[in-house]
Amino acid sequence: MAAFRDIEEVSQGLLSLLGANRAEAQQRRLLGRHEQVVERLLETQDGAEQQLREILTMEKEVAQNLLNAKEQVHQGGVELQQLETGLQEAGEEDAHLKASLLQLTRELEELKEIEADLERQEKEVDEDTTVTIPSAVYVAQLYHQLLEWPQLSNQRESTYPCQACSFTSVARWDR
C-alpha cells in the first residue's frame, strides 16, 4: 500500500503540479489579458488626451472667432451709426437744397414776370417813339419846303398844311 500511497502522493503532486501549472497558465493568461487591457487603456487614454487637446484647440479657435465676430459686430455698429448720421445729414442738406431750389424757382418766375413786363413796356415805348410827334412833322415839312425854296421863288404866298396837327403855315415873301 505504500506503493499505492506513493502513487497517490505522486498523483496528488502531479495534480497539484498540474493545478499549479494551470494556475500559472491562468495567471499568465490573466497577466496577458491584463497587459492588453492596460495597453488598451493607455491607448484609450492617449486617444482621449489627443481628443481633449483637439477639443481645447477648437474651443480656443471658436472663442477667438467669437471675439472676432463680436469685434466685427461692434465695428459694424459703429459704421452703421456713422452711416445713419451721414444719411441724416444728407437728408437735412437735401431738404435745405430743396428749399433753396424752391426759393430760386420763385425768384426765377418773378424775374420772368418782370422781364415780360419790361418787354411789354419796351414795346410800348417803341410804339410810342414811332408815333410821329406833330411838331416833328411840322419841322420836317418846313425843312422840305426850305429845300424847295428855289423852286417856289415865283410864288408870292404858299400855304403848307400840317398833316399831324391840322396847322397851316403861310409863307410870304416879297420880291
Side-chain angles (χ1 to χ4, degrees):
M1 286 235 251
F4 194 59
R5 260 192 204 165
D6 285 338
I7 291 179
E8 202 176 301
E9 280 180 23
V10 171
S11 291
Q12 282 189 3
L14 281 175
L15 283 175
S16 74
L17 188 59
L18 280 175
N21 245 354
R22 270 192 195 169
E24 193 176 311
Q26 252 184 351
Q27 189 178 16
R28 281 188 198 142
R29 234 181 319 134
L30 285 175
L31 280 175
R33 287 182 85 198
H34 179 66
E35 284 179 16
Q36 288 175 349
V37 169
V38 168
E39 282 179 26
R40 274 209 219 130
L41 178 65
L42 291 175
E43 287 174 4
T44 304
Q45 189 176 3
D46 288 343
E49 287 175 356
Q50 180 63 30
Q51 287 179 349
L52 186 59
R53 281 190 295 271
E54 290 172 1
I55 288 172
L56 288 174
T57 303
M58 284 190 265
E59 283 180 352
K60 286 179 184 177
E61 289 175 6
V62 168
Q64 186 62 44
N65 289 341
L66 182 61
L67 289 174
N68 292 343
K70 283 184 179 181
E71 180 63 26
Q72 288 176 347
V73 167
H74 176 71
Q75 288 296 326
V78 168
E79 288 178 22
L80 179 63
Q81 184 65 31
Q82 290 173 347
L83 288 173
E84 287 175 348
T85 302
L87 181 62
Q88 183 179 3
E89 290 172 358
E92 291 170 0
E93 184 178 351
D94 182 52
H96 176 70
L97 289 174
K98 283 182 180 178
S100 295
L101 178 63
L102 184 61
Q103 180 182 358
L104 290 173
T105 303
R106 287 183 192 145
E107 290 177 9
L108 179 63
E109 290 301 318
E110 290 175 7
L111 288 174
K112 284 181 179 179
E113 290 173 8
I114 291 171
E115 181 183 23
D117 190 40
L118 286 174
E119 285 178 0
R120 184 183 49 76
Q121 288 177 2
E122 187 178 291
K123 187 176 180 182
E124 288 175 3
V125 167
D126 285 345
E127 288 174 0
D128 288 345
T129 57
T130 56
V131 172
T132 8
I133 302 169
S135 61
V137 171
Y138 177 71
V139 170
Q141 287 175 350
L142 191 58
Y143 183 72
H144 180 63
Q145 289 172 2
L146 289 174
L147 289 177
E148 292 179 357
W149 184 281
Q151 297 171 357
L152 299 175
S153 61
N154 295 339
Q155 297 177 354
R156 297 252 179 218
E157 185 176 305
S158 297
T159 57
Y160 300 103
C162 178
Q163 295 171 354
C165 63
S166 303
F167 176 77
T168 304
S169 68
V170 177
R172 291 184 194 170
W173 59 89
D174 293 322
R175 271 198 166 192

